[in-house]
Amino acid sequence: MSNVLRRSSPDASAPVMPSALRAAGQRTCWLLLAAIGLCSIGLRETFPIVAIAAPHDDFLFITLAESLLEGRWLGPYNQLTHAKGVAYPVFLALNQLAGWPLKLTEHVLYLGAALFFCLMLGRVLAARWVTVVAFMLLAFIPTPWSPVVGGRVVREGLYISLVLLVLSLALRCYVEPDGTSMAQALRKHRVSLCLLGLLGGVFWLTREEGVWFLPSIAILAVYGLVIRARQGWSTRAAMAYVGLPFVLALIPIQTVNALNYLHYGVFRHNDFHSSDFVAAYGALSRIRHDGWQRYVVFPRDARERAYRFSAAARELEPYLEGDLGRAWRAIGCAQTRTDPCPEILSGWFIWALRDAVQAAGHYQTAPKAAAFYQQLAAQINAACDRSPGECLPRRQTLVPPWRSHYVEDTLRASGRVASTLMRLDGLPIGTGEGFGTPEQLTVFARITHEPIVASPAQNNWHELARVLTAIERAAVRYGLPLSLLGLAWHALQAACARRLNAGLVVGLAMAVAITVRVLLLGFLDATSIPSNNMLYLSPVLPLALALIPVACAGLHTHRAGSAGA
């Protein structure tokens, strides 16, 4: 295996630096990193919070956190209780108890995660300049200065830090050079492996689509197995080395499941991962349409068939065809600028369905809601089995029924999403105005420890933020595609030379995370809901920025290793 896969040293030709000079360089590096972080915090403090009393988004997290603080877990059960992950409301509640301004906490946590990530990049690549350059790019990332991302009280404020922390711990456990065997690495990194698992569980409980990050972690884990297999293979140690984080990730997830069972009688952490709701949604979406319409999963003709098929569906008819349905149709069409507006669009139908079930009286308890969704799915599926010409094959998923043109549509949409990422489109810098009743804004202020400013003013610091954003925009626009090209060239050269180094693996893991996220958003944008925006792209923006110095360092390491060989 050593002839097939030789791991090059970071830079064997580099001169040995005297210890006193090396220590002075380290002190200078730490002072520079501290100065960058303090400047970033100071700039963040000039941007106020944007309080948006959206009942299914920002204000939902606020109300869930308020229930946690009152000792009522997630509060009285309704259609929104298990609609979104619990990690961010828990984070809000803990921050409220600590008495810190929410946006300061989010930013300090982000900077800590970014620093840890950049330090790991510098250690893996044996290049201190990578740490400094990457941290400078990440510290002045433009999303905190934007009212549509950093100003809002949404889970991306925590999610972006979790992405960096999970990736950093994976680098430490699987890629950091230490020359140990698998069993030795398991003992040495047992604390980091445990933290990786626990934070991975929190990551899973923050948003519903966490699977997008797994391929990158898998790349790093496989690399760790391969380089340590040369020191001696142990199947038991290998299984523990890779499997321990996945086992420990179950602790926070199953804890939330158990608490939900204790309070509501259902063992789950999110309805969108539950078999009953997914089965009902899948059953409704299998009913054939008279004519395909983009973003429409349950049009009028399909609803009429459902009412004919199912007594449970007929209970929802007054609401889906009444004011509730018209309201959700208007909201979806207004946000997508769809005119004419004949149907409830799919991204909003999922909420219209839950609201209709609530209005029909089935959200009195969680088991009753689950039983209704199971009944709805069973009745629709039974009728479809009797009339196969009116339905598609059985399906139990939130993904819309597949159509052949979705491949091309997804690729085109993914191109637009990638363009948004590289241009940082739709990312205004400055302040924004929220909305809500005085009572709602009071709750916002109490939970976040942030002043709610009705008409926030611009200032000179915001002009500085716009200048920094222009620099970052140029870095991403030109640096990201060049970095991806450099990474591809590095991979080709490494394959020809049969030589693999950590820089290439780290770059590939980061590039895969960016690519999978872009493809996921492209698929959603093409098939289900408008997803081409910087809020959804914000978790991978730090990776896109950090990839620039990583790709440069990786190419340099490869050339140095080739010269040494």
Side-chain angles (χ1 to χ4, degrees):
M1 181 177 291
S2 60
N3 291 329
V4 176
L5 183 63
R6 300 194 303 273
R7 184 178 179 209
S8 59
S9 60
D11 191 349
S13 63
V16 178
M17 185 179 295
S19 59
L21 186 58
R22 185 164 58 247
Q26 288 176 346
R27 287 194 297 271
T28 302
C29 180
W30 279 109
L31 288 172
L32 182 57
L33 293 172
I36 292 170
L38 289 173
C39 290
S40 178
I41 292 171
L43 184 58
R44 178 64 189 89
E45 283 296 276
T46 67
F47 290 86
I49 195 173
V50 180
I52 299 177
H56 294 74
D57 291 300
D58 309 47
F59 198 63
L60 173 59
F61 300 123
I62 291 290
T63 54
L64 292 175
E66 187 177 36
S67 295
L68 287 165
L69 290 166
E70 293 172 353
R72 299 183 295 129
W73 187 226
L74 302 179
Y77 188 75
N78 59 42
Q79 77 275 27
L80 299 179
T81 303
H82 294 151
K84 295 196 175 182
V86 73
Y88 189 60
V90 171
F91 175 76
L92 290 177
L94 292 174
N95 182 75
Q96 203 279 340
L97 290 174
W100 300 327
L102 173 64
K103 290 303 170 180
L104 176 62
T105 302
E106 287 183 354
H107 199 63
V108 170
L109 176 62
Y110 165 73
L111 289 176
L115 180 59
F116 183 27
F117 178 59
C118 295
L119 287 170
M120 288 309 308
L121 291 178
R123 292 182 66 173
V124 168
L125 297 167
R128 188 181 298 157
W129 69 266
V130 171
T131 296
V132 176
V133 173
F135 186 65
M136 186 177 299
L137 288 170
L138 268 59
F140 296 107
I141 192 171
T143 46
W145 339 129
S146 177
V148 300
V149 181
R152 294 183 60 184
V153 182
V154 287
R155 47 195 172 172
E156 280 72 16
L158 174 63
Y159 202 58
I160 189 173
S161 299
L162 291 172
V163 167
L164 293 176
L165 287 171
V166 169
L167 190 56
S168 301
L169 287 166
L171 291 175
R172 181 175 178 81
C173 295
Y174 300 125
V175 184
E176 183 182 12
D178 54 19
T180 59
S181 68
M182 212 164 298
Q184 291 170 332
L186 181 60
R187 289 192 295 271
K188 178 180 179 181
H189 296 301
R190 60 184 181 275
V191 174
S192 295
L193 287 166
C194 292
L195 287 174
L196 174 58
L198 294 173
L199 284 175
V202 176
F203 171 84
W204 194 262
L205 291 169
T206 304
R207 286 194 60 89
E208 293 72 50
E209 76 286 359
V211 67
W212 71 272
F213 205 33
L214 292 180
S216 296
I217 304 302
I219 289 172
L220 301 180
V222 170
Y223 177 74
L225 289 175
V226 171
I227 62 172
R228 288 180 170 86
R230 293 180 297 173
Q231 309 297 325
W233 179 260
S234 167
T235 302
R236 184 175 180 179
M239 291 177 63
Y241 185 50
V242 174
L244 182 61
F246 289 94
V247 172
L248 289 176
L250 296 175
I251 292 178
I253 296 172
Q254 298 293 52
T255 298
V256 172
N257 289 344
L259 286 169
N260 281 330
Y261 182 80
L262 178 65
H263 287 84
Y264 304 115
V266 289
F267 191 80
R268 66 182 56 169
H269 60 273
N270 191 293
D271 277 348
F272 296 153
H273 291 164
S274 67
S275 59
D276 47 83
F277 180 77
V278 174
Y281 190 90
L284 294 175
S285 64
R286 71 179 288 206
I287 301 174
R288 290 188 183 276
H289 307 179
D290 290 344
W292 177 80
Q293 302 173 71
R294 187 188 183 203
Y295 288 169
V296 177
V297 70
F298 196 45
R300 175 74 188 192
D301 55 280
R303 295 198 301 276
E304 290 176 349
R305 292 186 178 98
Y307 303 147
R308 175 164 48 87
F309 287 165
S310 163
R314 286 194 293 275
E315 290 187 51
L316 308 181
E317 182 177 6
Y319 310 105
L320 293 178
E321 309 304 329
D323 292 342
L324 187 151
R326 285 190 289 270
W328 278 112
R329 184 179 66 199
I331 292 171
C333 291
Q335 292 184 9
T336 57
R337 299 178 181 177
T338 300
D339 186 27
C341 181
E343 301 289 354
I344 305 173
L345 303 183
S346 58
W348 292 265
F349 170 71
I350 203 166
W351 302 109
L353 173 61
R354 297 172 69 82
D355 284 357
V357 174
Q358 161 82 355
H362 294 289
Y363 266 99
Q364 295 172 351
T365 66
K368 184 175 181 179
F372 176 80
Y373 286 123
Q374 290 168 351
Q375 180 187 34
L376 177 63
Q379 291 176 356
I380 295 291
N381 286 328
C384 284
D385 291 343
R386 292 192 299 269
S387 305
E390 297 187 85
C391 301
L392 301 170
R394 282 196 180 224
R395 54 197 325 274
Q396 186 164 331
T397 176
L398 300 180
V399 177
W402 180 255
R403 299 180 65 86
S404 59
H405 58 82
Y406 279 167
V407 173
E408 181 180 355
D409 293 350
T410 295
L411 291 176
R412 291 180 183 275
S414 298
R416 294 191 294 270
V417 173
S419 176
T420 297
L421 176 62
M422 287 189 288
R423 296 173 180 270
L424 301 186
D425 285 342
L427 196 66
I429 304 302
T431 58
E433 294 188 12
F435 62 85
T437 66
E439 293 78 12
Q440 290 172 326
L441 298 181
T442 299
V443 177
F444 262 104
R446 184 173 70 252
I447 298 298
T448 64
H449 291 294
E450 297 270 8
I452 307 301
V453 183
S455 299
Q458 306 288 332
N459 58 53
N460 292 334
W461 292 108
H462 297 174
E463 291 301 321
L464 174 61
R466 292 187 182 94
V467 172
L468 292 171
T469 298
I471 296 172
E472 299 259 331
R473 181 175 282 117
V476 178
R477 182 172 185 176
Y478 300 109
L480 179 58
L482 289 175
S483 298
L484 293 173
L485 287 174
L487 189 64
W489 173 253
H490 185 183
L492 179 62
Q493 294 290 98
C496 293
R498 304 172 78 181
R499 180 185 301 275
L500 187 65
N501 60 56
L504 174 59
V505 173
V506 173
L508 286 175
M510 295 167 64
V512 166
I514 296 167
T515 302
V516 173
R517 185 76 181 176
V518 166
L519 287 173
L520 171 64
L521 296 180
F523 176 75
L524 292 174
D525 193 72
T527 65
S528 304
I529 185 173
S531 303
N532 184 11
N533 60 70
M534 284 305 304
L535 179 66
Y536 293 163
L537 280 167
S538 60
V540 295
L541 181 55
L543 305 186
L545 289 164
L547 187 61
I548 300 170
V550 166
C552 293
L555 284 170
H556 172 72
T557 300
H558 178 75
R559 285 197 300 268
S562 299

